[in-house]
């Protein structure tokens, strides 16, 4: 499901939420991948470090239009999402994936109807130990993001909201 309204309009229409900190702008550190340039949905959180076993486990569940936020600790030493996981996210109905880390198989991911944001790409695959935490608060770009909050992304940027937004 694409975002109903551009992030700029959502910011303009929700000044009070911005001033109260209930709507936040994610620092502009992420690259845009995937066919879905604009996407939104309730957040599922995951914290891993250079290990993507739990990323696969989460994406194997029905997405129901949700967005997976993966706190990879900002590591650029390997990829946490590749083409197979991009296709899995698309097939399972996820709206998007935000990766505080790297992806690989960029051409494959760009062929998937899913929105992906990541710090960059790295051809090296991750470890496969299954370490990490699901459904916990994550810290991305100095922002604490909670499971169940809403993510809105488009070409202008990424917003995190405590609630579903309208204009």
């Amino acid at each position: 499901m694409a975002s109903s309204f551009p992030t700029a309009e959502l910011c303009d229409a929700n000044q009070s939420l911005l001033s109260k900190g209930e709507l936040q702008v994610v620092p502009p550190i992420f690259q845009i991948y995937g066919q879905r340039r604009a996407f939104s949905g309730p957040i599922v959180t995951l914290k891993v470090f250079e290990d993507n076993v739990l990323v696969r486990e989460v994406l194997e569940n029905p997405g129901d239009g949700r967005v997976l936020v993966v706190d990879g600790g900002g590591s650029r030493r390997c990829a946490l999402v590749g083409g197979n996981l991009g296709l899995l996210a698309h097939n399972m109905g996820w709206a998007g994936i935000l990766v505080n880390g790297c992806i690989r198989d960029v051409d494959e991911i760009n062929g998937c109807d899913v929105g992906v944001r990541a710090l960059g790409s790295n051809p090296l695959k991750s470890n496969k130990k299954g370490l990490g935490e699901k459904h916990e608060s994550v810290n991305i770009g100095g922002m604490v993001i909670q499971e169940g909050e809403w993510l809105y992304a488009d070409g202008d940027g990424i917003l995190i909201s405590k609630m579903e937004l309208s204009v």
Side-chain angles (χ1 to χ4, degrees):
M1 160 121 35
S3 179
S4 312
F5 300 101
T7 56
E9 282 186 38
L10 289 171
C11 285
D12 293 350
N14 291 284
Q15 289 294 320
S16 64
L17 294 178
L18 284 163
S19 63
K20 291 189 277 190
E22 293 177 12
L23 175 62
Q24 299 181 77
V25 178
V26 176
I29 56 177
F30 294 95
Q31 305 298 311
I32 298 173
Y33 303 98
Q35 286 183 357
R36 206 173 284 195
R37 309 296 281 182
F39 61 94
S40 64
I43 292 170
V44 174
T45 59
L46 184 57
K47 188 176 211 162
V48 298
F49 189 73
E50 299 178 359
D51 185 327
N52 76 347
V53 171
L54 294 182
V55 177
R56 174 176 289 282
E57 279 183 17
V58 171
L59 292 175
E60 284 174 342
N61 294 296
D64 299 321
R66 294 175 296 170
V67 177
L68 178 60
V69 173
V70 180
D71 180 1
S75 172
R76 296 173 184 258
R77 295 190 298 201
C78 65
L80 293 174
V81 174
N84 290 336
L85 293 184
L87 185 59
L88 180 63
H90 162 77
N91 289 338
M92 295 304 291
W94 290 85
I97 308 169
L98 172 66
V99 184
N100 186 24
C102 287
I103 64 166
R104 69 182 201 165
D105 306 322
V106 169
D107 291 341
E108 290 177 42
I109 287 175
N110 284 341
C112 295
D113 183 20
V114 66
V116 177
R117 300 292 187 274
L119 296 176
S121 60
N122 185 323
L124 189 65
K125 70 179 179 180
S126 75
N127 295 316
K128 308 289 184 199
K129 296 177 182 165
L131 302 176
E133 300 172 10
K134 296 179 188 177
H135 316 299
E136 300 292 323
S137 299
V138 296
N139 188 319
I140 294 183
M143 290 179 54
V144 175
I145 300 173
Q146 311 274 352
E147 176 129 352
E149 292 181 330
W150 281 71
L151 183 145
Y152 297 85
D154 65 12
D156 286 336
I158 304 167
L159 304 176
I160 304 293
S161 175
K162 301 274 184 215
M163 68 212 67
E164 188 172 4
L165 297 175
S166 56
V167 288

